Amino acid sequence: MPAHNGPLPPLAGGAQGPAALRPLLDTVLDALHAGARDRHGPLPAGGPQAVTDRIAALGDPLPTTGTGTAEALSTLVHALAAGSADPADPLCAAHLHTPPLALAAAADLAASVLNASLDSWDQAPAASTLEARLTRALAAALYPGHPTADALLTTGGTESNQLALLLARERHGPALTVLHGANAHHSIPRAAWLLGLPTPRTLPTPTGILDPATLDRALTEQALAGHPGPTLVTATAGTTDAGLIDPLDALADVCDRHHADLHIDAAYGGALALSSDPRHRTPLHGIERARSLTLDLHKLGWQPIAAGLLAVPEDTLLAPLAHQADYLNATDDTEAGLPDLLGRSLRTTRRADALKIAATFRALGRNGLAQLIDSTLEAARRLARLLEADPRFELHSAPTLSTVLFRPAGARDEDLAALRRSLLHGGHAVLGRATADGRLWLKATLLNPHTTAADLDTLVRVLGHVPEAEGTHR
């Protein structure tokens, strides 16, 4: 073995782990603070090449001789913070990319330290029990009146949607037909491709949502054409481009008439169903009629990535995921009472993502989640009112969730795209882009519940190219 120049670095776990971690946390927190200060805004200025040059200037990522713990943490964390798009900055509003709650991030640290792997009980005794209780409780909230409802934790909407299609394929066979609106997330047709299913049929959504009449005609035509086989319809509660919610209850009625299964991708909007506020749950009326349901709590749940969920109304629907590996779930161990965890995911090694979610609900309750949702949705409504009242802008429509589509009045699509890139390159604002009604729109996805009226005024000033906009942020 090679000789060591000093003592081995300490571990994060065990009785001595907290003492070893404490000074390192101070180093990390100081570096995060300094990096955010040096960034001067929602993302680093200069574009991709400037960021690449700054990271390259750090030197060899695999040095022969290390620089020491404090220097490595300070340098790299500072560089990452200074070079990051910060979703906690009110002018960083492009994507469904949430600023995580401090309490959830702290709980996530504990999950990293303990490093439980939820593929066998002997690696995660408490974590596996906590996850089971949490997922059943979340499923019961999403599927009231279903005593055997259950859910799996996933890495996000893409994995959840793939699992939903996999379970439908295992119920109905490889000839399963998948129908989805043009407003659906790209992971739906991608999952069908990965699973070897027939190419899904895409239904037009000219208003941004899937019309039940359109679905009814498609299913009727399918039956008349001699293809009345098993069908999975996917609906969306919170589209990526505009945050729109399909008419879920009416779509479920159509599916029932045609004996089609319904999957709802509620990665964005599904958290509203967990709120204690009935105003939030009303737009999701009918969500409990889905055979499977996708939800991301790293969106309107303010969790560190990853915190996805696939929920089903009956735990037997998850049975096809059962898998045997003697070193993890030997039959005699299972018969002796050790929980079998392999059927809880397509992944083997899994971290205890349940901890941060459980800590958040324990600390805030469903009332606290409702307050966060209220603050965020109100910020979106306020931004829409500001843009609608400003003759320099055209508002697409009032927001359904927290996404606002707009464009400079009279701008060409290419001008709008160039404006967005200019804002990114200058580090002024992070906005998304979306196509609706045949035109390109700027997209503000507001997910920071601490966003103030003054922050929104600043965003509008920056977008309007008012001379004093330069330097007003921070």
Side-chain angles (χ1 to χ4, degrees):
M1 293 179 64
H4 292 282
N5 295 325
L8 293 173
L11 302 177
Q16 304 305 316
L21 271 173
R22 198 173 303 277
L24 302 183
L25 294 182
D26 285 340
T27 300
V28 167
L29 294 175
D30 288 345
L32 286 171
H33 177 76
R37 179 195 62 213
D38 292 348
R39 188 179 57 242
H40 302 300
L43 82 167
Q49 189 59 53
V51 175
T52 298
D53 291 344
R54 285 193 288 270
I55 296 299
L58 299 177
D60 187 354
L62 300 175
T64 300
T65 302
T67 60
T69 300
E71 190 282 335
L73 279 175
S74 180
T75 298
L76 290 175
V77 173
H78 179 278
L80 196 66
S84 289
D86 183 4
D89 190 295
L91 271 65
C92 186
H95 303 287
L96 291 166
H97 182 196
T98 317
L101 295 169
L103 75 94
D108 211 32
L109 170 63
S112 294
V113 168
L114 295 169
N115 212 29
S117 180
L118 280 88
D119 49 313
S120 66
W121 182 87
D122 57 350
Q123 298 177 82
S128 60
T129 302
L130 178 66
E131 181 186 85
R133 287 177 56 82
L134 175 71
T135 51
R136 283 197 295 268
L138 289 170
L142 294 166
Y143 287 105
H146 292 265
T148 62
D150 203 354
L152 306 177
L153 290 186
T154 71
T155 55
T158 294
E159 183 185 347
S160 295
N161 287 337
Q162 183 176 352
L163 277 171
L165 267 66
L166 171 63
L167 293 173
R169 186 193 71 180
E170 295 306 291
R171 287 196 301 273
H172 299 297
L176 175 72
T177 297
V178 177
L179 269 68
H180 65 82
N183 62 346
H185 192 261
H186 66 83
S187 61
I188 297 294
R190 189 181 188 195
W193 166 67
L194 287 168
L195 293 167
L197 293 170
T199 301
R201 183 176 176 187
T202 302
L203 304 181
T205 55
T207 64
I209 59 174
L210 180 56
D211 186 343
T214 300
L215 176 62
D216 188 59
R217 283 194 299 272
L219 291 171
T220 299
E221 291 167 2
Q222 185 173 292
L224 292 175
H227 302 292
T231 300
L232 177 71
V233 174
T234 70
T236 307
T239 60
T240 304
D241 276 351
L244 302 178
I245 297 174
D246 287 339
L248 305 178
D249 210 30
L251 291 172
D253 286 342
V254 175
C255 289
D256 286 349
R257 287 198 300 272
H258 291 272
H259 307 290
D261 284 0
L262 175 64
H263 167 66
I264 298 177
D265 177 0
Y268 182 6
L272 274 67
L274 302 175
S275 166
S276 62
D277 190 334
R279 295 175 304 164
H280 296 154
R281 299 195 299 272
T282 297
L284 299 181
H285 185 61
I287 197 171
E288 72 284 351
R289 299 175 64 183
R291 293 277 277 181
S292 54
L293 175 63
T294 288
L295 170 66
D296 277 0
L297 289 170
H298 53 241
K299 293 183 171 67
L300 283 175
W302 294 278
Q303 297 298 297
I305 297 168
L309 195 81
L310 178 74
V312 293
E314 301 168 14
D315 55 9
T316 55
L317 292 170
L318 301 176
L321 299 179
H323 184 68
Q324 182 73 35
D326 282 346
Y327 78 104
L328 293 174
N329 62 344
T331 301
D332 59 323
D333 279 347
T334 303
E335 292 174 348
L338 294 183
D340 179 358
L341 305 183
L342 277 189
R344 305 296 297 174
S345 178
L346 291 180
R347 293 170 285 149
T348 303
T349 301
R350 292 193 299 117
R351 69 194 305 273
D353 288 316
L355 177 59
K356 61 198 176 191
I357 303 170
T360 299
F361 276 101
R362 184 179 180 89
L364 303 181
R366 291 170 71 168
N367 287 340
L369 178 66
Q371 183 181 10
L372 291 170
I373 292 172
D374 272 341
S375 296
T376 306
L377 300 191
E378 175 52 35
R381 290 190 290 265
R382 178 179 175 83
L383 177 60
R385 290 194 297 268
L386 287 174
L387 293 167
E388 190 172 32
D390 192 323
R392 296 172 299 174
F393 299 101
E394 177 185 352
L395 178 70
H396 180 269
S397 58
T400 300
L401 292 173
S402 65
T403 299
V404 182
L405 298 186
F406 64 98
R407 52 185 290 134
R412 300 173 302 172
D413 282 359
E414 54 267 35
D415 296 332
L416 185 148
L419 168 62
R420 175 181 174 271
R421 289 190 292 270
S422 176
L423 292 168
L424 292 174
H425 195 276
H428 302 306
V430 189
L431 294 172
R433 53 187 287 169
T435 300
D437 302 331
R439 293 192 293 168
L440 188 64
W441 299 80
L442 291 173
K443 177 173 68 170
T445 307
L446 303 183
L447 288 172
N448 184 344
H450 292 274
T451 297
T452 67
D455 293 326
L456 298 175
D457 291 340
T458 298
L459 177 58
V460 173
R461 286 201 303 271
V462 170
L463 291 170
H465 292 290
V466 177
E468 62 266 26
E470 191 73 31
T472 57
H473 186 59
R474 301 231 194 283

